[in-house]
Amino acid sequence: MSISELFIKRPVMTTLVMAGILVFGLMAYRLLAVSNLPNVDFPTITVSASLPGASPETMASAVATPLEKQFSTIAGVDQMTSQSALGSTTITLQFTLDRNIDAAAQDVNAAISKTLRLLPSGILPPSYQKVNPADSPIIYYAMSSKTLSLSALDEYAETFIAQRLSTVEGVAQVNVYGAAKYAVRIQLDPKALATRQIGIDEVADAVAAGNVNLPTGILWGPHRAYTVQATGQLQNAAEFRPLVLAFRNGAPVRLQDVGQVLDDVQDNKSAAWYNGSRSIILAIQRQPGANTVDVAARVRTVMASLRDLLPASVNLQLRFDRSDSILAGLADVRFTLFLTLALVVLVIFLFLRNLSATVIPSLALPFSIVGTFAVMYALDYSLDNLSMMALTLCVGFVVDDAIVMLENIVRHMEKGTPPLQAAFDGSREVGFTILSMTLSLAAVFIPVLFMGGIVGRLFHEFARRARHLSVSPQSLGDRHSQPGAAVLDRRHVRRDVRARL
């Protein structure tokens, strides 16, 4: 007995199976994550080290080199790059895809501990962070204002908006580009320091000692106790200028005597612009595996409510939303599939002129696609450009197989065979050929499953989805004229041609 005969003899079972596939497929479709590319985790760790005042050459030779030598002994390091700038060094370690990121982080931490005694004195202990280069921001917002200062605008961005967006479901982190945190910048005059015989270290110590905000003790009374706190924290440049650094010839030397004290920002070498004006850029990243479209929609909803709470002078604009291109791609694929189904139904009807024979194979395409969604959800796959490409590619396989099976059954019916017997005979004749051709089509995608590297990870879902859609149960025939998956047996074709002649 062939595979199709079981479904032909049990129409109620066949209907229930198809209904189950439809229900589970539609439920899985609503739960599938939506993204532009498959979710691939790249084991990458970034190590940062800081030594204030050191030149890039010093950072590269005294900090980056000892760390790189120690990191090279870690197993599984595929690529290591470093960047040294004024006072900072960043080393990026990319491991092989089969390396566990948590185990790699432990090895990096141990390597940093071994290298601490070789690093210059006064350096801040290096820190590391696990990152995924594939998790680029999904949505950008730009904040600008014509009346507020950049530092005030940055305060709204980092303390008001970024912290609120971090609590949104599916949001991993919010990066602030072009940040302008307020800071007092002290620009010393070397000649003035040399004249008064004051070193830079004395200036730094005096500034640190004069800018404190610590409790100084407790006053105990007969009935109450009071905590004494010295309000010695300086808030702006005007309060820093009269700060006494030292005494020379009995006169105090103040900070304003040896340089300029300005109200500025922490990093005045980086900036962001939007539409020609200085702005603060908010970049929102999603959590791995989260639905990009849903996360972007939630972020937009929250930002719409936060926009009403901002001052009227703050201009908050959406700069980029990746979900727009994803939704456009999915809409294009849906249109292609509906158009394909309509053309297939039209062609079958024009050649067979039989409504019932046209409706039954027309069910093969939607049920095969819907059933694939259930398997995708079970395998934790997502709707992305590559999986949609696999879906579009395999639609042709299912359509061809359906037409082949239907044509063979109709051939028997034209000879006068009853429909039920024609379904048995037609499916039995091409059943083995259908199965072998279906497996052959699926075998084409098997080598893609064994591809290594980043390309192999990206195309893993493509191969698995294409293979499953090629061998879906609907393509093997499950009703008395349900389509199959094979080419017509040449012997029956020749016999039918001779009969017609």
Side-chain angles (χ1 to χ4, degrees), residues 25-93:
L26 292 177
M27 292 175 60
Y29 177 77
R30 299 183 61 182
L31 298 176
L32 283 174
V34 182
S35 183
N36 59 337
L37 289 175
N39 184 28
V40 180
D41 293 331
F42 299 91
T44 305
I45 295 179
T46 300
V47 180
S48 302
S50 177
L51 182 60
S55 64
E57 292 79 9
T58 302
M59 295 299 298
S61 60
V63 179
T65 300
L67 289 173
E68 290 175 354
K69 288 182 179 179
Q70 194 64 40
F71 291 153
S72 62
T73 61
I74 300 176
V77 176
D78 186 47
Q79 185 179 2
M80 180 168 52
T81 58
S82 65
Q83 294 180 348
S84 297
L86 181 63
S88 64
T89 290
T90 302
I91 302 176
T92 303
L93 302 172

Side-chain angles (χ1 to χ4, degrees), residues 465-487:
R465 181 164 188 176
R467 188 162 62 94
H468 173 263
L469 187 56
S470 300
V471 299
S472 58
Q474 292 74 23
S475 64
L476 300 179
D478 48 15
R479 295 169 73 163
H480 66 276
S481 59
Q482 185 67 19
V487 295

Side-chain angles (χ1 to χ4, degrees), residues 117-399:
R117 53 189 174 84
L118 302 177
L119 299 179
S121 59
I123 187 173
L124 299 178
S127 60
Y128 68 93
Q129 181 181 7
K130 294 182 288 186
V131 297
N132 187 4
D135 289 340
S136 57
I138 62 173
I139 188 169
Y140 290 87
Y141 278 92
M143 292 181 61
S144 60
S145 177
K146 295 182 178 180
T147 57
L148 292 179
S149 62
L150 281 177
S151 58
L153 196 64
D154 180 79
E155 187 72 16
Y156 279 107
E158 297 205 21
T159 62
F160 181 67
I161 297 180
Q163 293 183 7
R164 176 63 182 89
L165 292 179
S166 299
T167 61
V168 176
E169 181 183 358
V171 174
Q173 63 178 354
V174 180
N175 297 321
V176 180
Y177 298 135
K181 294 182 180 181
Y182 175 79
V184 175
R185 188 169 301 279
I186 302 174
Q187 298 177 347
L188 298 176
D189 184 1
K191 295 182 178 179
L193 291 175
T195 303
R196 294 168 176 81
Q197 296 181 354
I198 298 176
I200 297 180
D201 55 342
E202 296 182 63
V203 177
D205 294 339
V207 171
N211 184 26
V212 294
N213 188 16
L214 298 174
T216 57
I218 300 177
L219 292 178
W220 295 95
H223 303 288
R224 294 182 182 180
Y226 297 91
T227 300
V228 180
Q229 185 171 359
T231 57
Q233 187 171 5
L234 307 180
Q235 302 293 334
N236 50 47
E239 296 180 0
F240 273 89
R241 292 190 184 102
L243 186 65
V244 177
L245 302 179
F247 287 88
R248 294 293 184 267
N249 298 325
V253 179
R254 303 184 183 277
L255 186 59
Q256 60 189 4
D257 299 331
V258 295
Q260 295 183 351
V261 184
L262 307 173
D263 291 317
D264 206 345
V265 295
Q266 289 184 0
D267 186 6
N268 58 3
K269 305 301 180 184
S270 62
W273 281 266
Y274 181 70
N275 288 338
S277 60
R278 286 288 300 271
S279 305
I280 304 295
I281 306 298
L282 298 170
I284 297 93
Q285 289 182 308
R286 68 178 179 90
Q287 294 177 354
N291 192 322
T292 303
V293 176
D294 290 346
V295 174
R298 286 192 288 266
V299 169
R300 283 189 171 190
T301 303
V302 173
M303 291 298 285
S305 61
L306 294 179
R307 184 180 283 109
D308 298 334
L309 302 177
L310 293 173
S313 59
V314 176
N315 185 17
L316 182 62
Q317 293 182 346
L318 177 64
R319 181 180 180 186
F320 171 77
D321 188 353
R322 194 195 300 176
S323 63
D324 293 338
S325 60
I326 295 174
L327 291 175
L330 293 178
D332 186 66
V333 172
R334 284 196 297 266
F335 173 77
T336 302
L337 293 178
F338 285 131
L339 180 62
T340 302
L341 179 60
L343 293 177
V344 168
V345 173
L346 179 62
V347 170
I348 294 176
F349 181 76
L350 290 177
F351 279 88
L352 298 181
R353 303 297 177 88
N354 189 325
L355 184 60
S356 61
T358 303
V359 172
I360 294 175
S362 302
L363 299 176
L365 180 58
F367 275 93
S368 297
I369 296 174
V370 172
T372 305
F373 293 144
V375 178
M376 288 180 60
Y377 179 75
L379 297 176
D380 198 22
Y381 288 167
S382 62
L383 290 173
D384 50 70
N385 291 332
L386 293 181
S387 61
M388 290 293 100
M389 181 174 62
L391 179 64
T392 306
L393 177 64
C394 291
V395 163
F397 300 158
V398 178
V399 172

